[in-house]
Amino acid sequence: MKARIIDGKLVSERLRGEIKAEAARFLAAHGRPPGLAVILAGEDPASEIYVKNKITACESTGIKSVLHRLPACVTEAELVGLIESANRDETVDGLLVQLPLPKGLDEKRILSRVSPDKDVDGFHAVNAGNLLLGNPCLAACTPSGIIELIKETGLPIAGKNAVVVGRSNIVGKPAALLLLQQNATVTICHSRTADLKSVTKTADILVAAVGIKAFITGDMIKPGAVVIDVGMNRFEGKLYGDVCFAEAAETAGFITPVPGGVGPMTITMLLKNTLKAAFARAK
Ligand code: NDP
């Protein structure tokens, strides 16, 4: 294997140490810990695991978390009522509504009710818009984690060709905007991109956020590229990325594994956003 592994678990642990110290500084200055409220509606098994991991991560870094569980039959009015009460709660700095919401609830409309200054997922149109404008904002967690992992290589981002495969609002688009902010020359690819391989082959930095197991093969990668695999595809009880790791590792310079790459960073960036929101609100 030629590529060097970018260890998301290790980077995450280091960042969580820094977050813990900052959370203690916040507590000392303001007499309360930074607070995260999590709303979980319904009983989606994957969401249960994600939420449990978020709560555990809060506990281990000194962020106070409160979990609000709602039944799958919750009405939009009830859910919005809870969001608005968390918006008003002075001890809540970050508020997230775990997705997906139960069928029949309008995710877009519901997420728009989260106060932008507490929107630690970075999904609100105000934060997405500010990211586009290059203004200070709470940026989406997975894309922020991607940038941290690329920086971990020690290679410059400025002036590099970055190709993002995937244009979702939660990964692809914000990842592209953050790379642009770092002065990369950015190309976004999607399902209608013609001759995808000819584009990915130009990438010094390749971000795969497609949602298809082993979609990016070795022949699609420029020798020496930094390859960030965002994919989390469950197959026969195992987790696979969007990149064919065995092939890619022979060509890339750096690569993130799945699991243990981008995954651990997402929650870490959620903690970081909660802290950022807490300090900003306390000003
Ligand atoms: P979406 O399904 O929302 O988006 C997938 C994107 O891939 C779309 O833009 C789609 O294009 C594009 N795409 C699909 N097929 C092709 C193709 N044949 N060629 C080129 N592009 C294609 O997924 P997400 O962005 O939400 O997630 C992507 C992956 O990242 C998933 O595996 C998900 O599980 C994972 N993920 C991991 C996280 C983590 O913490 N590690 C967090 C969030 C997601 P089009 O727009 O044209 O349809």
Side-chain angles (χ1 to χ4, degrees), residues 50-269:
Y50 294 144
V51 165
K52 186 170 157 264
N53 291 343
K54 289 170 187 176
I55 303 280
T56 308
C58 282
E59 277 166 8
S60 69
T61 48
I63 293 173
K64 182 174 182 260
S65 62
V66 180
L67 172 60
H68 299 277
R69 280 181 175 277
L70 296 169
C73 61
V74 64
T75 65
E76 187 166 326
E78 286 165 338
L79 190 45
V80 168
L82 184 55
I83 290 173
E84 285 184 344
S85 114
N87 282 343
R88 287 189 301 271
D89 187 336
E90 284 303 317
T91 67
V92 171
D93 300 296
L95 167 60
L96 79 84
V97 181
Q98 183 65 41
L99 300 180
L101 285 172
K103 280 200 172 58
L105 293 172
D106 186 328
E107 281 185 0
K108 238 188 196 169
R109 205 160 54 207
I110 288 169
L111 290 183
S112 75
R113 305 302 288 266
V114 173
S115 176
D117 66 336
K118 298 190 178 188
D119 169 41
V120 283
D121 264 338
F123 293 164
H124 195 286
V126 166
N127 281 312
N130 278 327
L131 179 63
L132 178 75
L133 296 174
N135 294 336
C137 65
L138 292 165
C141 299
T142 302
S144 302
I146 291 170
I147 299 296
E148 293 289 336
L149 291 176
I150 298 170
K151 286 185 175 168
E152 197 61 24
T153 64
L155 299 173
I157 300 178
K160 298 292 176 190
N161 285 335
V163 174
V164 180
V165 189
R167 58 172 164 181
S168 72
N169 290 333
I170 62 168
V171 186
K173 280 186 211 161
L177 288 169
L178 288 171
L179 283 160
L180 190 60
Q181 234 172 51
Q182 297 290 324
N183 299 312
T185 302
V186 183
T187 308
I188 306 177
C189 300
H190 46 78
S191 65
R192 306 292 292 275
T193 297
D195 194 4
L196 181 65
K197 183 171 145 182
S198 72
V199 185
T200 58
K201 285 283 273 184
T202 67
D204 303 307
I205 297 166
L206 179 61
V207 177
V210 186
I212 302 173
K213 175 177 173 271
F215 178 78
I216 302 288
T217 46
D219 59 341
M220 296 170 81
I221 296 168
K222 179 177 176 180
V226 175
V227 177
I228 306 291
D229 189 351
V230 188
M232 288 205 321
N233 308 295
R234 270 173 218 287
F235 180 71
E236 294 179 345
K238 270 186 78 181
L239 202 59
Y240 294 88
D242 288 345
V243 176
C244 176
F245 185 88
E247 287 181 20
E250 291 303 319
T251 310
F254 289 87
I255 189 166
T256 59
V258 176
V262 175
M265 293 298 288
T266 297
I267 293 185
T268 300
M269 300 320 281

